[in-house]
């Protein structure tokens, strides 16, 4: 994963680089959201309206935010894409399938949270090409919207999500440090009010049944049905409008993150935000353990219990799986695998 550091706007070339703590803090928040949301959804508690709205809000920012910040730090393109994303996917997706099984037909169809590794690998491979395409941002939005009408865009190689979340990656890729600084310097009160209003409207629409909670997040068709719009009983125009609205709301939330999250060293967030890969790869096993526990103890399946538990599990997983020793072990594993395939050149 790229080092989250960037020079300040207008800084002299010779000046030492100041760590961009806001990016570390944002990554911590986003990964915490991933873990907490999986706790809520995998335990089946989303029948409660409050939990449903919380999950809905989380989905509007978590992966769009990750895609945006990953795009920002991916301007170098395909360098290390194989060992940063493909190798971890092959190892941990396969291990998860062996432990828990899957409905996916083959290794080319990601299971649970591991689809993001496939998306990142694909985006990394084409980053240099995307940077050369004129009007790539509006084009990526057009392709992502139209993908909802296509029956052939599905789970295989996580193609639907690779296309669906591409606009966020592309925007991050095209933004400079100065561009992001403009987001950071927006009026905080105004950004907070706009974000709360839009989230309130989106949550209300969800509770009223105007759209399904999974619609914006799940891009692919299910059970052989005619694309995501048809899956959720939407006609083409309603599907396009709701998905476009989803992009807007996710964009507002991303702006909110960069505007309101402090750019200072927050010990827990900073440390956790610099070591996100291991918690992302291994939190799935914690979630499956908790899922089985909830089956054994039905009394846990109450919103006033599940929400606090999800918060505690999120923080605990980030702290435990983000320990430096685990990060070092993971890096050693990847380095060993890389050494099997590549031999370092001898100097001189």
């Amino acid at each position: 994963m790229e080092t989250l550091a960037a020079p300040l706007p207008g800084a002299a070339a010779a000046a030492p680089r100041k760590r961009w703590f806001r990016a570390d803090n944002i990554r911590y928040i986003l990964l915490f959201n991933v873990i907490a949301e999986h706790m809520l959804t995998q335990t089946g508690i989303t029948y409660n309206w409050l939990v449903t709205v919380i999950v809905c809000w989380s989905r509007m920012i978590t992966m769009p935010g990750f895609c945006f910040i990953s795009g920002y730090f991916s301007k170098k393109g395909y360098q290390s894409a194989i060992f940063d994303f493909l190798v971890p996917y092959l190892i941990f997706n396969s291990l998860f399938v062996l432990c828990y099984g899957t409905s996916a037909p083959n290794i080319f169809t990601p299971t649970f949270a591991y689809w993001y590794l496939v998306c990142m690998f694909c985006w990394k491979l084409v980053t240099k090409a995307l940077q050369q395409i004129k009007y790539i941002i509006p084009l990526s939005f057009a392709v992502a919207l139209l993908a909802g009408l296509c029956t052939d865009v599905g789970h295989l190689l996580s193609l639907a999500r690779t296309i669906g979340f591409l606009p966020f990656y592309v925007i991050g890729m095209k933004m400079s440090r100065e561009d992001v600084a403009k987001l950071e310097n927006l009026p905080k009160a105004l950004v907070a009010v706009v974000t709360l209003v839009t989230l309130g409207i989106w949550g209300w629409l969800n509770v009223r049944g105007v759209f399904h909670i999974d619609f914006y997040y799940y891009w692919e068709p299910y059970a052989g049905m005619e694309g995501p719009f048809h899956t959720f009983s939407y006609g083409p125009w309603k599907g396009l409008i709701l998905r476009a609205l989803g992009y807007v709301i996710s964009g507002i939330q991303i702006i909110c993150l960069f505007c309101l999250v402090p750019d200072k060293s927050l010990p827990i967030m900073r440390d956790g935000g610099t070591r996100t890969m291991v918690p992302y790869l291994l939190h799935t096993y914690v979630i499956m353990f908790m899922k089985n526990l909830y089956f054994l103890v039905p009394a846990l399946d109450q919103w006033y219990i599940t929400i606090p538990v999800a918060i505690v599990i999120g923080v605990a997983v980030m702290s435990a799986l983000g320990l430096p020793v685990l990060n070092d072990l993971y890096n050693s594993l990847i380095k060993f695998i890389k050494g099997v395939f590549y031999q370092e050149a001898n100097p001189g």
Side-chain angles (χ1 to χ4, degrees):
M1 305 293 284
E2 290 75 18
T3 301
L4 297 185
L8 293 176
R17 301 178 76 187
K18 176 182 180 295
R19 186 163 191 87
W20 192 16
F21 292 114
R22 178 175 281 114
D24 296 338
N25 298 338
I26 288 174
R27 288 210 343 184
Y28 181 95
I29 292 170
L30 292 175
L31 186 54
F32 168 82
N33 276 1
V34 170
I35 299 168
E37 182 197 313
H38 283 160
M39 269 296 303
L40 295 176
T41 56
Q42 292 299 315
T43 54
I45 192 77
T46 50
Y47 62 80
N48 177 269
W49 73 268
L50 177 59
V51 176
T52 299
V53 170
I54 292 173
V55 171
C56 173
W57 287 345
S58 174
R59 287 182 174 174
M60 299 308 295
I61 181 56
T62 303
M63 296 319 298
F66 256 127
C67 296
F68 174 88
I69 205 166
S70 295
Y72 179 85
F73 287 105
S74 295
K75 294 178 174 62
K76 293 182 180 180
Y78 60 84
Q79 294 181 359
S80 302
I82 293 176
F83 293 100
D84 283 348
F85 301 106
L86 182 60
V87 169
Y89 166 74
L90 293 174
I91 294 173
F92 291 94
N93 185 77
S94 301
L95 183 61
F96 188 86
V97 170
L98 288 175
C99 291
Y100 297 104
T102 177
S103 58
N106 55 55
I107 198 171
F108 298 106
T109 305
T111 187
F112 205 177
Y114 300 110
W115 60 268
Y116 184 65
L117 300 176
V118 178
C119 291
M120 280 301 303
F121 175 69
C122 295
W123 292 333
K124 283 276 193 175
L125 290 182
V126 299
T127 292
K128 290 296 185 181
L130 292 174
Q131 290 172 335
Q132 304 303 315
I133 299 176
K134 203 172 183 180
Y135 309 119
I136 182 57
I137 292 178
L139 283 174
S140 66
F141 275 108
V143 171
L145 287 171
L146 293 175
L149 303 173
C150 182
T151 61
D152 297 322
V153 177
H155 288 286
L156 187 64
L157 289 176
S158 198
L159 182 60
R161 287 172 176 172
T162 300
I163 295 174
F165 288 108
L166 177 62
F168 301 109
Y169 179 87
V170 168
I171 293 175
M173 177 192 72
K174 297 292 286 186
M175 292 191 76
S176 66
R177 183 66 183 92
E178 289 73 21
D179 294 329
V180 176
K182 294 176 182 177
L183 301 182
E184 297 172 325
N185 295 324
L186 289 172
K188 299 186 185 308
L190 176 61
V191 170
V193 169
V194 171
T195 302
L196 289 174
V197 170
T198 54
L199 286 179
I201 294 173
W202 191 253
W204 180 80
L205 290 174
N206 176 251
V207 172
R208 298 292 296 176
V210 175
F211 71 96
H212 191 279
I213 185 175
D214 290 334
F215 167 66
Y216 177 69
Y217 190 76
Y218 289 109
W219 306 90
E220 53 268 56
Y222 281 86
M225 302 184 78
E226 299 174 8
F229 295 170
H230 181 79
T231 300
F232 296 108
S233 301
Y234 300 149
W237 285 111
K238 182 178 180 180
L240 288 170
I241 292 171
L242 285 176
R243 179 161 292 181
L245 180 60
Y247 280 123
V248 172
I249 294 176
S250 290
I252 292 173
Q253 287 209 72
I254 291 173
I255 293 172
C256 181
L257 277 178
F258 281 91
C259 183
L260 299 185
V261 173
D263 187 18
K264 61 182 180 180
S265 178
L266 302 176
I268 294 179
M269 289 189 180
R270 179 197 66 205
D271 295 340
T274 58
R275 297 189 293 268
T276 55
M277 181 60 89
V278 174
Y280 189 84
L281 293 172
L282 297 183
H283 84 277
T284 53
Y285 299 91
V286 178
I287 298 303
M288 294 305 293
F289 171 79
M290 293 301 299
K291 181 178 181 178
N292 293 330
L293 180 62
Y294 272 58
F295 283 137
L296 295 174
V297 187
L300 292 174
D301 193 16
Q302 301 294 330
W303 68 269
Y304 50 83
I305 296 178
T306 299
I307 293 177
V309 168
I311 295 173
V312 171
I313 292 296
V315 174
V317 169
M318 290 291 293
S319 300
L321 297 184
L323 289 172
V325 62
L326 294 180
N327 189 69
D328 293 341
L329 286 173
Y330 171 77
N331 289 334
S332 298
L333 172 63
I334 298 301
K335 184 177 180 180
F336 170 77
I337 296 173
K338 186 183 295 187
V340 172
F341 294 95
Y342 290 97
Q343 181 176 1
E344 295 186 4
N346 294 322

